[in-house]
Amino acid sequence: MLLRRSQQMQRMEKRTEFPREALDALRPHGADQREYDAPIGTIWGKVFDHLPAPLKSRLVDWASARPRIAENFANYIKAGFLFASPVIVELYGWYVTFERGLADDEKHANVQRRYRKFLDFADLQIPNSLLLKYFSSAIATFEQLCTKIIDHEVDAWDKGWRTLTTLSSPAWYASGESSHRQHLILGFNSPFYPNTLIATSVFQEGVNLHLQCRKVHHYGIAWTPGDNEQRVGRIDRLFGKVNSLLQRQGPDMSALEINYPYLKDSFDEDQVGSFIERKYAVEDKMDRCTQGDFDREIRLNRSGWEVFLRTPVPDAVLSDPYPASFGRD
């Protein structure tokens, strides 16, 4: 052992030191020592510059005053971007486009200089990118996701986000036999996958799905208008996407979208038409505090029911059917 170590020391002593001029000659074309000493930015720094002011302030607050939340959010973003979103594909597309646009001499230039040019190129793509949309939405909803939707403390930085690594598909299906419903609830309330969730009545009640969604498609008609409202209520909730859009953009730009797909000229159309008419009648009676009989007739040639598929308008002024009256003492 001592002999081997002695031989190694002798070999080290015999090594020739390269002069500074020789090292400079080994650098890539156009390399500059001062560029190696300059700070190198990151794609996340570029994204930060494009964030709205409130989201910037939130990140700064986490980093300075609540570092455990900042670390937890970093783990959340990493898992979501790598396994449950198209963001990495988008970044790769930017890189390929950037490389194809380089001249031949630039492709063999200093790697750090080329990296900085790529950052400048990416900076131009960020304003309309999925990267910015996913990142902004993740910041805006992270604390509510942890405190209201799932069992993951907002500052539990060491807990990990392994659930997101299993959600690699943009669309998922949930039924009574699904064993991973909590995973789907997490993914659907995050900006990551799944973006589309198809569910039976197992998600009709007692489930929050409102943080990232504002569209509901009723492929199966509920039995009653009340059940229908329960389904819509998974999305139409306070502090959800619809609510936040209403606050930022107003009612004209952020309506809750509800759709009833059907096969035209089929019994399916009659079911939808019958339900929509009944739903309209129930809502009208509730608004006016009146009672009445429901139409139980099945009409195979129902027509004109589409008029009830209306866009909400400001409520008309209704008179109180049971006004309060106070007599003199």
Side-chain angles (χ1 to χ4, degrees):
M1 179 68 70
L2 292 176
L3 178 61
R4 187 181 302 115
R5 182 171 299 176
S6 175
Q7 292 173 344
Q8 290 176 349
M9 293 295 294
Q10 290 178 2
R11 285 196 297 269
M12 292 177 63
E13 292 175 355
K14 292 180 180 179
R15 288 177 181 172
T16 303
E17 291 189 4
F18 286 95
R20 184 60 177 267
E21 294 76 10
L23 291 175
D24 291 341
L26 293 176
R27 288 192 190 135
H29 302 295
D32 188 342
Q33 179 65 30
R34 288 173 298 178
E35 289 192 356
Y36 280 84
D37 296 335
I40 298 178
T42 65
I43 194 73
W44 310 116
K46 297 293 185 181
V47 173
F48 181 83
D49 294 337
H50 291 275
L51 289 174
L55 298 185
K56 285 183 179 179
S57 299
R58 189 173 303 184
L59 278 181
V60 171
D61 174 63
W62 289 348
S64 58
R66 297 182 288 175
R68 295 170 67 92
I69 297 180
E71 187 67 21
N72 192 23
F73 177 75
N75 294 334
Y76 170 67
I77 280 289
K78 179 177 66 175
F81 278 172
L82 288 177
F83 298 98
S85 81
V87 169
I88 295 300
V89 177
E90 183 180 53
L91 287 173
Y92 178 72
W94 292 355
Y95 177 74
V96 171
T97 303
F98 169 76
E99 281 287 308
R100 290 177 178 175
L102 290 176
D104 290 339
D105 58 334
E106 292 178 316
K107 292 181 180 179
H108 303 287
N110 178 290
V111 65
Q112 295 194 36
R113 183 179 301 172
R114 196 163 74 249
Y115 175 72
R116 288 191 178 91
K117 286 187 176 181
F118 172 70
L119 286 182
D120 293 337
F121 172 83
D123 191 39
L124 300 176
Q125 319 303 318
I126 289 175
N128 298 314
S129 67
L130 291 174
L131 172 62
L132 181 61
K133 292 178 181 178
Y134 274 66
F135 198 75
S136 300
S137 183
I139 298 171
T141 59
F142 180 66
E143 290 182 281
Q144 190 174 353
L145 176 72
C146 293
T147 57
K148 303 293 185 181
I149 306 297
I150 60 173
D151 183 22
H152 192 128
E153 295 80 2
V154 71
D155 59 351
W157 63 272
D158 55 343
K159 192 172 182 179
W161 293 89
R162 294 188 60 184
T163 297
L164 291 176
T165 66
T166 66
L167 300 175
S168 57
S169 174
W172 285 81
Y173 174 76
S175 67
E177 298 180 355
S178 298
S179 59
H180 56 292
R181 275 183 272 176
Q182 291 302 317
H183 292 188
L184 296 180
I185 292 172
L186 162 60
F188 195 67
N189 278 289
S190 76
F192 309 117
Y193 291 157
N195 303 130
T196 301
L197 180 60
I198 304 170
T200 62
S201 57
V202 297
F203 277 0
Q204 178 173 298
E205 298 179 359
V207 177
N208 294 319
L209 301 172
H210 59 289
L211 290 188
Q212 306 292 339
C213 182
R214 69 174 188 88
K215 295 182 181 180
V216 182
H217 301 269
H218 293 279
Y219 282 94
I221 298 299
W223 283 100
T224 67
D227 287 343
N228 182 81
E229 288 302 313
Q230 283 288 345
R231 297 180 181 184
V232 175
R234 303 309 97 213
I235 305 301
D236 189 13
R237 306 179 73 82
L238 288 175
F239 311 111
K241 187 176 183 67
V242 175
N243 187 252
S244 62
L245 289 175
L246 283 171
Q247 292 178 342
R248 296 200 309 266
Q249 302 177 1
D252 295 335
M253 301 296 293
S254 54
L256 171 65
E257 186 174 321
I258 305 173
N259 299 286
Y260 296 89
Y262 64 91
L263 297 175
K264 188 173 178 58
D265 299 326
S266 68
F267 188 72
D268 189 33
E269 179 179 358
D270 181 76
Q271 284 185 314
V272 173
S274 176
F275 173 78
I276 294 298
E277 286 185 356
R278 182 173 301 181
K279 179 176 181 294
Y280 179 83
V282 168
E283 291 174 349
D284 185 63
K285 290 180 173 63
M286 291 179 64
D287 289 341
R288 299 179 183 276
C289 298
T290 59
Q291 296 181 350
D293 296 330
F294 290 118
D295 178 13
R296 299 178 181 274
E297 180 183 359
I298 296 178
R299 298 190 296 274
L300 297 180
N301 294 319
R302 184 183 301 273
S303 63
W305 61 269
E306 294 90 344
V307 69
F308 298 116
L309 290 175
R310 65 202 188 285
T311 300
V313 296
D315 293 334
V317 178
L318 300 176
S319 59
D320 189 345
Y322 307 105
S325 60
F326 302 92
R328 293 185 177 180
D329 293 337

